[in-house]
Amino acid sequence: MSGFLASLSFAAPWVFVLLPLPLLVWKMAPPYRVRVPAIRVPFFQRISERLGLSPSAGATVRRRQLWQHLLGALIWILILSALARPQLEGEAVTIQKPARDLILAVDISGSMAQEDFTGADGQRLQRLAGVKSVLADFLEGREGERVSLIVFGSKAFVQAPLTTDLDTVLELLRQTEVGMAGPHTALGDAIGLAIRQFESSEVKQRLLILLSDGSDTASRMSPINAASIANQRDVKILTVGVGDPQGESENRLDEATLKAIAQRTGGNFYFANDQQALTQIYKEIDALVPKKVDTEIYRPRTSLSHWPLGIALLLSLLGLALTLQRSGRHLQEAST
């Protein structure tokens, strides 16, 4: 019982200020008067003398019994209790809301098939395979944040919209293959698509990690112009270069463009030529922009207003029934 009372509260306790209102009305307001029809009897005086009555002008005030006063007071208290909106507080519930939205834009153009990426064990891996293994560990540390996955080649596609379901993002990342989005590289289009994804975001911190191994060869929008628009929309871009800066044609890593994209938005450029370096890059990213999660604690509340209101209604009906029964008994006694 003590636990129940401890968890009971009122949303509008100020309503109880009205508690003495009926008493003030009873003391200060004039009595309620009702005119009733009467019959004039010419020999009324003689009848009164025979009955020993002393007639006088005025009103008749019905006297209420003690139980009626107590019942009325109890009903008034119950009505005020219902208006004060009693509520039962449950156990505290902790909710984590993302304070930052993160988008991973991964290059899956044809050049990502080259096996020149050194794994943790020293073995040569396909570039995309090495990136996937490191990204998986990075995403596992993003619990509580909203993450989106964009893949791009000749065109950019949203693999996973902004979501806190990281397991789905990881599964979609594992299913991604080289060449699925075309053989070329569209850096600018990937940035533009990320900006459109952020349009539905209500959080202030928006971070895009752009991972590519080649120069832009297929974008409809210049990567630098796309970065400028991203800066206007408060989107910070971190670029990660995977590939050979001395390569030929589309296989060459365009460090200058990736650096310019990052600088336009106040971000950083990182170069990774093996799995160990890429892992270290993500550690630096974690230190630079640590995970952001807002924690809110609230208590679920169950309204109890219907209970005092229902009891007040039942007591009112009971009081009305007793009053009618009492009036009927008086009439019966008067008639006999």
Side-chain angles (χ1 to χ4, degrees):
M1 185 65 180
S2 59
F4 173 80
L5 294 177
S7 59
L8 182 65
S9 64
F10 293 92
W14 55 267
V15 172
F16 289 109
V17 175
L18 302 176
L19 195 61
L21 183 61
L23 184 61
L24 294 176
V25 173
W26 181 52
K27 288 290 186 182
M28 302 180 65
Y32 178 67
R33 301 177 184 273
V34 178
R35 291 182 178 273
V36 295
I39 300 176
R40 292 182 64 86
V41 180
F43 45 86
F44 178 74
Q45 188 67 29
R46 286 187 295 174
I47 294 176
S48 299
E49 292 175 355
R50 287 289 183 92
L51 294 175
L53 300 176
S54 300
S56 61
T60 300
V61 179
R62 289 184 177 180
R63 298 294 179 183
R64 290 185 174 86
Q65 295 183 356
L66 178 61
W67 70 267
Q68 291 177 309
H69 289 287
L70 294 177
L71 185 62
L74 180 58
I75 291 173
W76 177 245
I77 293 173
L78 289 170
I79 291 174
L80 289 183
S81 299
L83 292 175
R85 289 155 52 195
Q87 52 192 8
L88 194 64
E89 294 186 356
E91 295 294 331
V93 178
T94 302
I95 296 180
Q96 289 187 338
K97 292 185 177 180
R100 179 179 66 203
D101 284 342
L102 171 66
I103 293 182
L104 292 173
V106 181
D107 186 353
I108 59 170
S109 60
S111 56
M112 290 291 286
Q114 295 193 30
E115 297 183 356
D116 57 359
F117 192 86
T118 305
D121 56 358
Q123 296 294 324
R124 289 287 182 175
L125 299 175
Q126 186 189 69
R127 291 176 181 175
L128 183 59
V131 168
K132 282 182 181 181
S133 61
V134 180
L135 273 179
D137 295 335
F138 177 73
L139 284 174
E140 288 177 357
R142 300 295 99 196
E143 184 178 356
E145 288 186 300
R146 289 205 311 170
V147 179
S148 173
L149 176 64
I150 291 178
V151 296
F152 64 95
S154 301
K155 292 184 178 180
F157 300 94
V158 177
Q159 282 291 92
L162 286 167
T163 179
T164 55
D165 185 1
L166 301 184
D167 292 335
T168 299
V169 176
L170 282 169
E171 183 59 30
L172 291 171
L173 177 65
R174 294 189 186 100
Q175 295 177 7
T176 302
E177 299 293 340
V178 173
M180 288 177 60
H184 305 295
T185 306
L187 286 175
D189 291 353
I191 297 173
L193 184 57
I195 293 172
R196 288 195 292 274
Q197 284 290 294
F198 280 127
E199 287 179 354
S200 62
S201 174
E202 297 179 355
V203 299
K204 294 182 178 180
Q205 292 196 5
R206 305 170 181 180
L207 179 65
L208 168 62
I209 299 179
L210 180 66
L211 193 147
S212 177
D213 75 335
S215 58
D216 185 87
T217 57
S219 290
R220 292 172 294 178
M221 177 187 295
S222 165
I224 307 301
N225 291 339
S228 298
I229 296 174
N231 185 49
Q232 296 172 5
R233 305 289 177 86
D234 297 324
V235 177
K236 187 174 184 179
I237 301 178
L238 304 180
T239 55
V240 180
V242 179
D244 185 3
Q246 307 301 324
E248 297 181 357
S249 63
E250 295 184 7
N251 294 330
R252 180 178 60 84
L253 178 63
D254 190 353
E255 288 189 44
T257 299
L258 294 177
K259 288 179 179 179
I261 291 172
Q263 291 173 357
R264 284 294 177 95
T265 62
N268 295 334
F269 165 75
Y270 301 92
F271 172 69
N273 56 358
D274 57 35
Q275 191 169 0
Q276 184 176 0
L278 190 55
T279 302
Q280 184 61 34
I281 286 171
Y282 285 127
K283 289 182 179 179
E284 292 180 13
I285 290 175
D286 270 336
L288 182 66
V289 280
K291 183 175 67 175
K292 294 288 184 179
V293 177
D294 284 339
T295 301
E296 293 184 0
I297 299 177
Y298 84 101
R299 292 180 179 273
R301 292 177 171 84
T302 304
S303 176
L304 302 177
S305 298
H306 57 284
W307 286 105
L309 198 60
I311 296 173
L313 178 60
L314 291 176
L315 291 178
S316 299
L317 294 175
L318 177 62
L320 179 61
L322 292 176
T323 302
L324 292 176
Q325 183 183 20
R326 180 167 171 262
S327 300
R329 188 169 60 251
H330 287 174
L331 289 174
Q332 186 177 9
E333 293 175 355
S335 62
T336 56

